[in-house]
Amino acid sequence: MSNLLETVERAASKEGAETIRVIHLRIGEMAGVNIDALSFAFDVLSKGTMVEGGKLEFERVPLCVRCQECGLDSQMNDFIFRCDRCGSPDIEILSGREIEVDYIILDDECDSGQEKSAY
Amino acid sequence: MHEVHVGEDLRERNREIAGENRELLRKHGVVSLNLMSAPGAGKTSLLLRTIPLLKEKFRICVIEGDIQTRRDAERVGALGIRVYQIQTGGVCHLDAAMVHTVLHQLDLDSIDLLFIENVGNLVCPAEFDLGEDSRVMLLSVSEGDDKPKKYPLMFLESRLLILNKLDLLPHVEFDADKAKAEARDLNPYIEILEISCKTGEGIQNWITWIENFYKNREVS
């Protein structure tokens, strides 16, 4: 959580912003993150920061894999790490482990004259 | 209002520090295992069984991770080996930076084998690489045989799964074959041992596993 706040505050400061309205996170289906716990921690720890009162949004990223034997790409829903086509256990995870800040939405109220840097 | 793309993985900093830890441990020839499980699955009990059987052969050190108290460190320290306690103060897992701080306080040249006992939790510890050589997870039969698919990442990330509390099998509804099959669905390469820290059943297999792991790590 402290990583999250540091990351978004750094990104917002670079833009000269003082308030972060939205943090949009991409969380993989296979990520070891409890979204309820993260939301709770966010509410508590964001107090007194640039993010206070802001919204934490979550986007779930499906677990997608590629078989290293036959090359089949597929979406996995049952957590069985074997290729649907050839049965190989040699599976590479393509997506579904993300815990990342995709984008943030900043409030420009205080720096309306500097919008040129924003786009 | 305007949108700013960030695209940053929140584990990146942890990964960097874990990489430093790994390099440091390798440089000093320390072989390390990260023990993970739910609270009460028997991580400390396993260490209490293990250390007396290995301490003549290896110079052992233990890092204990707990949210509060030094109880585990006191129990393990009574065996006459070096123990360092990390109190996370509310954080539900160890991270690489916490371990990094401890590694810099240790005389790594005088350690062969390092056990890192993570905070009891089946979710978050799996996301935090500490720089260890391998991850070992415990599942006790009283937790239920449905855990692998409920906590998939932990099983995916572990090299060895230890089923503990075998002595309780007659008293609980735990289908060991089902648990093992589910674990292998998630991780076809996972190794599995079955033990009881209470009776000592299977402990020798675990000791052999560590000895082989140490030997192979030394060679690699």
Side-chain angles (χ1 to χ4, degrees):
Chain A
M1 176 49 68
S2 55
N3 258 348
L4 169 64
L5 295 176
E6 275 166 33
T7 301
V8 296
E9 290 198 313
R10 195 170 55 237
S13 299
K14 233 189 261 176
E15 298 287 320
E18 286 175 9
T19 309
I20 303 171
R21 291 287 177 203
V22 175
I23 301 172
H24 189 88
L25 297 177
R26 298 179 78 235
I27 307 287
E29 290 289 350
M30 194 79 185
V33 170
N34 182 326
I35 287 181
D36 290 338
L38 194 61
S39 299
F40 176 73
F42 177 77
D43 290 342
V44 174
L45 295 173
S46 63
K47 294 218 160 54
T49 71
M50 297 167 76
V51 204
E52 184 171 352
K55 194 175 154 206
L56 197 58
E57 292 179 347
F58 298 97
E59 175 189 337
R60 293 300 274 191
V61 184
L63 180 61
C64 292
V65 297
R66 174 171 296 160
C67 173
Q68 299 297 288
E69 284 290 325
C70 75
L72 179 74
D73 286 354
S74 59
Q75 186 174 327
M76 184 184 287
N77 299 310
D78 51 8
F79 294 135
I80 297 179
F81 279 72
R82 284 184 200 281
C83 176
D84 287 341
R85 187 159 65 193
C86 74
S88 167
D90 203 357
I91 298 285
E92 181 198 1
I93 295 179
L94 300 175
S95 72
R97 293 210 48 181
E98 295 78 357
I99 306 179
E100 65 177 39
V101 181
D102 187 11
Y103 62 83
I104 53 179
I105 297 178
L106 303 173
D107 200 339
D108 307 311
E109 253 177 300
C110 307
D111 55 352
S112 53
Q114 300 172 10
E115 289 217 1
K116 58 183 184 303
S117 65
Y119 293 98
Chain B
M1 298 220 283
H2 72 278
E3 188 179 308
V4 176
H5 176 71
V6 180
E8 211 173 299
D9 191 303
L10 291 174
R11 289 157 297 192
E12 196 47 44
R13 182 72 189 126
N14 187 73
R15 262 184 217 133
E16 285 168 19
I17 302 172
E20 290 170 25
N21 291 350
R22 189 163 282 120
E23 202 175 307
L24 194 64
L25 290 167
R26 295 229 164 145
K27 195 172 98 187
H28 293 275
V30 180
V31 172
S32 56
L33 293 172
N34 177 2
L35 301 181
M36 307 185 294
S37 78
K43 297 183 294 304
T44 310
S45 300
L46 181 64
L47 287 175
L48 293 175
R49 275 279 183 188
T50 307
I51 291 162
L53 299 172
L54 286 176
K55 72 175 186 180
E56 301 305 324
K57 189 165 180 183
F58 300 107
R59 295 168 298 170
I60 298 174
C61 179
V62 175
I63 296 176
E64 286 285 348
D66 284 289
I67 290 178
Q68 292 292 350
T69 82
R70 294 185 46 78
R71 281 180 194 166
D72 285 355
E74 284 160 11
R75 288 169 72 196
V76 174
L79 299 173
I81 54 144
R82 282 162 293 177
V83 182
Y84 285 77
Q85 177 81 52
I86 298 174
Q87 281 170 284
T88 65
V91 178
C92 62
H93 56 267
L94 290 178
D95 66 29
M98 298 175 195
V99 172
H100 194 78
T101 306
V102 174
L103 293 184
H104 278 284
Q105 294 168 28
L106 296 175
D107 173 17
L108 294 174
D109 285 329
S110 68
I111 299 170
D112 301 315
L113 196 53
L114 172 67
F115 292 103
I116 305 170
E117 184 184 335
N118 219 310
V119 178
N121 176 350
L122 274 182
V123 184
C124 310
E127 283 292 9
F128 289 85
D129 182 4
L130 304 178
E132 73 279 341
D133 284 309
S134 224
R135 294 170 166 200
V136 173
M137 77 160 291
L138 278 83
L139 176 69
S140 60
V141 301
S142 49
E143 289 168 67
D145 50 28
D146 59 345
K147 290 297 170 290
K149 295 233 167 137
K150 284 175 105 169
Y151 300 94
L153 188 64
M154 184 64 79
F155 292 84
L156 181 73
E157 286 284 336
S158 297
R159 176 181 179 134
L160 172 67
L161 164 64
I162 299 179
L163 293 180
N164 187 26
K165 307 193 188 179
L166 279 191
D167 54 291
L168 291 181
L169 266 183
H171 311 288
V172 293
E173 283 185 29
F174 183 92
D175 183 341
D177 289 336
K178 181 186 167 208
K180 287 191 276 187
E182 281 205 2
R184 288 194 173 110
D185 280 347
L186 285 158
N187 180 350
Y189 301 103
I190 200 164
E191 296 173 68
I192 301 176
L193 293 176
E194 296 174 60
I195 66 165
S196 165
C197 287
K198 192 173 172 66
T199 66
E201 185 182 352
I203 293 291
Q204 194 50 50
N205 294 337
W206 156 241
I207 298 295
T208 306
W209 187 93
I210 297 173
E211 288 170 343
N212 287 335
F213 183 77
Y214 187 88
K215 218 183 295 165
N216 294 334
R217 253 292 283 114
E218 244 182 353
V219 173
S220 67

